[in-house]
Amino acid sequence: AKFYASVFKDSKINTPETFTDAPSGDIEIINIELFGQEFSLMGAGPEFKFNEAVSFIINCDGQEEVDYYWEKLTSEGGEESQCGWLKDKFGLSWQVIPKQLNELMSDPDKEKAGRAMQAMLKMKKIIIADLKKHTSNNR
C-alpha cells in the first residue's frame, strides 16, 4: 500500500485490518484509494501470486506522465514488457498508455492508424515522438 501511495498522487491509505484466526495464518487487509477508486489489498501468504488476468491501464496525458509512471512502477525490481506493458515489483501488470496513442490508432486515415499500431508493437515504453514520426506523412 505504501508503494502504490508513493506512486499515485492524491492516494489515501485507510487503517489496516488483521485477521489472526485464519487457517493459513495472519491475513492483513488494507484499503487504498487511487484516483477516487477504493482497492482492498490482502496479504495472504506467498502461495498467492499475481498473473496477467489482473492488470490495470493508466491513461496518461503526455510523455512526462508516461515516463513518471514507467519509472516508478519498474523501479525496485519491476520488469518492462512490450506495447506499454510492465510488471511492478510485486508482479502486478500495468499498461501505461498516452492518450496520443489512442488518438493516432483511431485516426480516420486507416494507413496512419496502422502505422501507429505497427510502431507501438515494436516499443516497450510508449514514446509519443516516435509514434508521431512513424505516422507523419513526411516519414
Side-chain angles (χ1 to χ4, degrees):
K2 288 179 184 175
F3 172 73
Y4 295 120
S6 75
V7 171
F8 296 97
K9 298 169 179 86
D10 299 323
S11 61
K12 183 174 21 172
I13 298 175
N14 298 321
T15 307
E17 300 175 51
T18 303
F19 301 93
T20 57
D21 57 349
S24 62
D26 290 355
I27 297 176
E28 185 173 47
I29 297 175
I30 191 163
N31 293 318
I32 184 169
E33 190 175 306
L34 307 173
F35 299 108
Q37 175 68 48
E38 189 171 313
F39 295 90
S40 294
L41 309 177
M42 180 172 69
E47 63 274 8
F48 297 104
K49 304 216 182 292
F50 287 117
N51 64 46
E52 288 78 9
V54 175
S55 59
F56 294 98
I57 296 175
I58 304 171
N59 291 302
C60 297
D61 189 20
Q63 191 66 51
E64 186 176 322
E65 198 168 275
V66 169
D67 294 346
Y68 170 82
Y69 285 115
W70 194 267
E71 182 178 319
K72 292 288 188 179
L73 291 169
T74 57
S75 70
E76 302 178 42
E79 299 174 20
E80 296 183 348
S81 189
Q82 292 298 118
C83 306
W85 286 99
L86 62 86
K87 287 186 180 182
D88 66 28
K89 67 181 183 175
F90 299 110
L92 183 58
S93 293
W94 299 85
Q95 190 176 33
V96 182
I97 298 294
K99 69 177 184 178
Q100 292 84 351
L101 174 63
N102 292 327
E103 291 166 1
L104 289 168
M105 288 180 36
S106 62
D107 193 288
D109 178 341
K110 297 299 180 199
E111 286 184 27
K112 185 175 180 179
R115 290 194 305 269
M117 171 68 85
Q118 290 305 309
M120 183 269 304
L121 290 172
K122 295 175 183 150
M123 295 180 185
K124 289 186 178 193
K125 177 174 71 172
I126 304 300
I127 307 296
I128 298 167
D130 291 350
L131 288 171
K132 289 182 176 180
K133 181 174 67 176
H134 282 91
T135 58
S136 74
N137 291 333
N138 300 330
R139 298 181 288 135

